[in-house]
């Protein structure tokens, strides 16, 4: 067919940008409003609800779209099928695991970060200055030496631990990058039995193996036993193994315990070992004057891993690794990649590529939401929120202690985590299987109620109900509401067990 020359020839839109910006803007504003509604009214919704079968089917049964759909249709799907069935950790009564809940500033930070869409791999643009500033602020906060410290923002403490242990490995096996692990030295790292699984995972990933993790027992405060650590190091040396690293805990996931970091740092120095600290959430007690003594000695760490997405309330995901000797970090990760070299002018002016400090080249602008959070709220207020969560844990303990005959609490409750279990008078105290399943099922009952979200833990080889409080939105009233639901569900579950037992007798 021949086009008539008088017809206007429509310019084809070949990019992925909208053709109609006015309606696209309107849609984008609506989505921002939906996001703000989610946060403003988070309290009015159940903490968690199961994804209904038909909703899952809508998501999972759709084949990869060959043709695009209108923006409004996609937004509709997000509002209806995704947003209502989130994990729930924005809710003030989400206390399962140590999950942060985010802030409005964090939403804005991530929105702008997605808009600029920088690859924060290199140096001479705003994202790099912001990230370096965050690293500087953290170095100052934790009193690391000014001249030598290096670091970078990462997705979380798990990868920060891999980077830290890799640097520790590099220090003892200087040729490991060329030779791999063929020289036969059997390296050993020391951590307490309460440590997070990310340490073992890092050791596995780095080819050192989980057997190279020497688990040291803990005392009644769940802190590493110093004398046993010293003996373990000596015994391993006697066996011809090569101790290379001690990992200290600043806030364990089970109970929020702290190891004696100062003592660990002294042992590490005396034994010429790397001293790494897992401070995923607990390191930020440094912002709370009443509790900052818990991390005395953290400034002696060779490496420190922690998260902004937990007790600093930034949206997922963003963690940090600080390394005392940045030249070691550099020798662990830098590469000769011709296209990533310094130039005298232009946008590769300086050679501080983040790529040379860690495993990743492409990196998002995670620093912006951290910058936003610290600038908007300041360290004083953020420290007060940490203190509040710890006080709320004590408040919850006071509520649970009213039921001393049936509730056994794990002491000490020294931070923001409370573990307890029911031991109903109607049950045989020695029937561990029954008690385990009873407490497990009760956790699920509470989760399904939508009123609160606890998780389970295993402490001293017993199942417990675990409440970990990191939300800046939680109030005392939330714990009153939780207790009411807990005791109601407890009662009906005891009744059900007793009825079933009598029925079968
Ligand atoms: C959460 C946590 C980790 C793992 O951190 P991610 O950010 O989830 O990778 C490690 N250690 C402790 C103590 C934690 O609480």
């Amino acid at each position: 067919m021949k086009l008539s020359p008088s017809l206007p020839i429509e310019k084809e839109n070949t990019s992925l940008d909208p053709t109609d910006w006015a309606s696209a803007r309107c849609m984008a504003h609506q989505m921002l409003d939906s996001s703000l509604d989610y946060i403003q009214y988070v309290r009015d919704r159940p903490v968690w609800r199961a994804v209904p079968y038909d909703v899952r089917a809508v998501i999972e049964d759709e084949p990869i779209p060959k043709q695009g759909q209108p923006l409004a249709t996609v937004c509709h799907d997000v509002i209806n099928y995704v947003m209502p069935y989130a994990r729930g950790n924005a809710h003030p009564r989400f206390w399962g695991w140590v999950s942060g809940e985010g802030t409005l500033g964090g939403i804005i930070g991530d929105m702008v970060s997605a808009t600029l869409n920088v690859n924060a791999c290199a140096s001479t643009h705003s994202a790099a200055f912001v990230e370096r500033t965050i690293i500087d602020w953290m170095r100052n906060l934790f009193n690391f030496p000014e001249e030598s410290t290096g670091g970078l923002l990462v997705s979380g403490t798990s990868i920060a631990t891999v980077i830290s242990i890799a640097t520790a490995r590099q220090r003892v096996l200087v040729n490991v990058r060329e030779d791999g692990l063929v020289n036969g030295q059997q390296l050993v790292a020391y951590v307490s039995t309460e440590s997070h699984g990310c340490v073992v995972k890092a050791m596995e990933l780095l080819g050192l193996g989980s057997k190279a993790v020497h688990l040291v027992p803990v005392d009644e405060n769940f802190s590493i036993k110093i004398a046993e650590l010293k003996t373990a190091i000596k015994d391993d040396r006697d066996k011809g193994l090569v101790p290379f690293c001690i990992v200290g805990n600043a806030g364990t996931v089970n109970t929020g315990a702290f190891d004696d970091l100062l003592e660990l740092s002294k042992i590490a120095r005396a034994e010429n070992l790397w001293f790494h600290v897992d401070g995923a959430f607990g390191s930020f007690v440094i912002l709370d004057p009443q509790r900052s003594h818990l991390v005395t000695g953290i400034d002696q760490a060779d490496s420190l891993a922690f998260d902004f997405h937990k007790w600093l309330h930034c949206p997922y995901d963003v963690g940090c690794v600080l390394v005392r000797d940045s030249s070691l970090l550099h020798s662990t990760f830098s590469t000769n990649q011709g296209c990533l070299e310094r130039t005298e002018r232009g946008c590769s002016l300086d050679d501080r590529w983040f790529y040379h400090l860690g495993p990743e080249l492409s990196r998002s602008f995670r620093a912006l939401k951290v910058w936003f959070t610290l600038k908007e709220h300041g360290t004083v207020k953020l420290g007060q929120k940490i203190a509040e969560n710890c006080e709320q844990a004590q408040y919850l303990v006071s509520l649970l202690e009213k039921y001393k005959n049936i509730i056994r609490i794990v002491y000490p409750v020294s931070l923001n985590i409370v573990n307890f279990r029911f031991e109903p008078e109607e049950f045989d105290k020695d029937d561990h299987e029954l008690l385990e399943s009873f407490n497990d099922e009760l956790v699920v009952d509470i989760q399904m109620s939508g009123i609160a979200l606890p998780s389970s833990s295993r402490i001293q080889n017993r199942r417990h109900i675990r409440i970990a409080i990191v939300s800046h939105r939680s109030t005392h009233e939330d714990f009153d509401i939780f207790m009411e639901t807990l005791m109601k569900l407890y009662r009906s579950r005891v009744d059900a067990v007793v009825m079933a037992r009598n029925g079968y007798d």
Side-chain angles (χ1 to χ4, degrees):
M1 194 184 103
K2 251 185 163 178
L3 282 176
S4 139
S6 60
L7 277 177
I9 299 175
E10 237 184 65
K11 220 172 157 194
E12 206 187 341
N13 178 11
T14 54
S15 86
L16 299 180
D17 288 330
T19 33
D20 177 358
W21 271 102
S23 73
R25 256 173 204 271
C26 189
M27 207 57 243
H29 286 155
Q30 273 182 40
M31 287 308 283
L32 178 60
D33 267 336
S34 298
S35 297
L36 298 181
D37 284 348
Y38 184 85
I39 297 305
Q40 187 177 350
Y41 305 113
V42 67
R43 190 175 270 291
D44 305 338
R45 287 192 309 272
V47 181
W48 174 85
R49 57 183 138 175
V51 188
Y53 182 76
D54 53 333
V55 171
R56 276 190 64 163
V58 170
I59 297 172
E60 293 178 345
D61 294 351
E62 183 180 7
I64 183 170
K66 282 205 173 113
Q67 303 302 329
Q69 303 159 28
L71 181 63
T73 309
V74 185
C75 290
H76 169 274
D77 287 357
V78 172
I79 288 173
N80 288 294
Y81 307 132
V82 178
M83 293 181 76
Y85 308 104
R87 189 155 184 256
N89 47 297
H91 196 285
R93 288 190 300 277
F94 185 101
W95 301 312
W97 309 281
V98 182
S99 294
E101 72 296 54
T103 60
L104 172 61
I107 296 173
I108 299 173
D110 257 359
M111 184 180 74
V112 174
S113 163
T115 305
L116 301 178
N117 191 33
V118 287
N119 180 355
C121 63
S123 48
T124 44
H125 52 96
S126 53
F129 297 127
V130 174
E131 179 158 349
R132 284 217 201 94
T133 300
I134 301 292
I135 298 292
D136 260 9
W137 286 351
M138 292 303 116
R139 175 182 55 68
N140 260 317
L141 182 66
F142 291 110
N143 285 313
F144 273 52
E146 188 167 346
E147 7 22 280
S148 58
T149 303
L152 71 166
L153 298 193
V154 289
S155 60
T157 293
S158 299
I159 189 70
T161 304
V162 172
I163 293 170
S164 302
I165 306 280
T167 312
R169 185 186 66 166
Q170 177 71 28
R171 178 171 169 267
V172 280
L173 303 180
V174 288
N175 295 321
V176 69
R177 295 185 63 185
E178 299 81 20
D179 296 348
L181 292 168
V182 291
N183 71 1
Q185 282 195 339
Q186 293 270 316
L187 303 190
V188 187
Y190 301 83
V191 303
S192 89
T193 48
E194 288 293 303
S195 298
H196 193 274
C198 71
V199 177
V200 170
K201 210 184 238 190
M203 292 287 285
E204 291 169 354
L205 274 172
L206 293 165
L208 301 170
S210 55
K211 284 187 189 155
V213 180
H214 195 135
L215 293 176
V216 181
V218 292
D219 62 18
E220 65 286 357
N221 295 320
F222 303 98
S223 309
I224 193 166
K225 283 186 170 169
I226 297 292
E228 300 223 10
L229 169 67
K230 287 181 176 167
T231 312
I233 296 171
K234 182 173 179 312
D235 288 354
D236 286 342
R237 285 206 203 279
D238 289 347
K239 283 186 211 151
L241 306 175
V242 181
F244 83 112
C245 176
I246 298 174
V247 178
N249 287 305
T252 58
V253 272
N254 271 344
T255 64
F258 289 78
D259 292 333
D260 184 340
L261 302 180
L262 190 58
E263 197 54 43
L264 292 185
S265 75
K266 287 180 187 162
I267 298 170
R269 292 282 175 274
E271 298 277 349
N272 192 23
L273 308 180
W274 187 268
F275 178 39
H276 172 70
V277 174
D278 178 347
F281 66 98
S283 54
F284 280 118
V285 298
I286 205 158
L287 298 179
D288 169 14
Q290 285 173 66
R291 292 176 182 80
S292 57
H293 65 275
L294 294 170
V295 290
T296 302
I298 203 166
D299 57 338
Q300 297 302 311
D302 291 302
S303 55
L304 167 63
F306 57 94
D307 284 323
F308 293 107
H309 56 216
K310 287 176 177 168
W311 233 351
L312 225 64
H313 317 293
C314 297
Y316 282 89
D317 49 21
V318 58
C320 183
V321 56
L322 288 184
V323 175
R324 182 176 216 84
D325 178 352
S326 64
S327 68
L328 259 176
L329 189 59
H330 203 262
S331 51
T332 307
F333 291 104
S334 68
T335 59
N336 294 321
Q337 185 114 18
C339 59
L340 303 179
E341 276 169 14
R342 174 186 153 80
T343 55
E344 287 308 317
R345 296 189 306 126
C347 87
S348 302
L349 183 61
D350 110 25
D351 58 0
R352 291 184 297 171
W353 293 78
F354 290 109
Y355 172 62
H356 293 310
L357 302 179
E360 296 174 311
L361 173 58
S362 298
R363 315 165 64 245
S364 67
F365 187 4
R366 293 194 177 95
L368 190 58
K369 55 195 168 191
V370 182
W371 200 55
F372 210 116
T373 302
L374 285 164
K375 280 164 70 77
E376 187 189 2
H377 299 296
T379 54
V380 172
K381 174 100 172 273
L382 292 166
Q384 282 164 359
K385 295 309 294 184
I386 286 171
E388 254 173 45
N389 286 157
C390 296
E391 282 146 23
Q392 287 163 350
Q394 294 305 327
Y395 179 64
L396 175 59
V397 168
S398 75
L399 298 178
L400 293 168
E401 279 176 342
K402 291 185 186 146
Y403 300 91
K404 271 195 161 141
N405 51 333
I406 48 170
I407 295 179
R408 192 177 291 271
I409 301 170
V410 177
Y411 296 104
V413 177
S414 48
L415 208 68
N416 60 332
I417 300 176
V418 183
N419 290 279
F420 61 96
R421 59 192 252 121
F422 280 93
E423 294 183 350
E425 287 163 328
E426 293 84 345
F427 294 6
D428 175 359
K429 293 269 171 297
D430 297 323
D431 191 343
H432 293 306
E433 222 170 280
L434 176 64
L435 285 172
E436 302 264 314
S437 71
F438 181 85
N439 281 283
D440 270 350
E441 292 298 320
L442 189 54
V443 166
V444 178
D445 289 345
I446 302 163
Q447 292 177 347
M448 303 288 282
S449 76
I451 299 294
L453 202 138
S455 58
S456 293
S457 61
R458 178 165 286 280
I459 294 164
Q460 291 151 342
N461 207 24
R462 295 269 180 279
R463 292 304 267 190
H464 288 86
I465 300 172
R466 175 168 164 279
I467 299 288
I469 313 159
V470 287
S471 176
H472 61 80
R473 299 190 177 114
S474 303
T475 63
H476 277 203
E477 204 194 344
D478 286 313
F479 295 94
D480 297 336
I481 295 169
F482 167 65
M483 277 309 286
E484 198 180 306
T485 307
L486 174 73
M487 296 316 292
K488 209 158 51 189
L489 292 172
Y490 161 76
R491 264 288 131 226
S492 55
R493 185 149 282 280
V494 172
D495 290 349
V497 172
V498 170
M499 244 162 77
R501 188 164 60 192
N502 294 345
Y504 296 133
D505 272 353

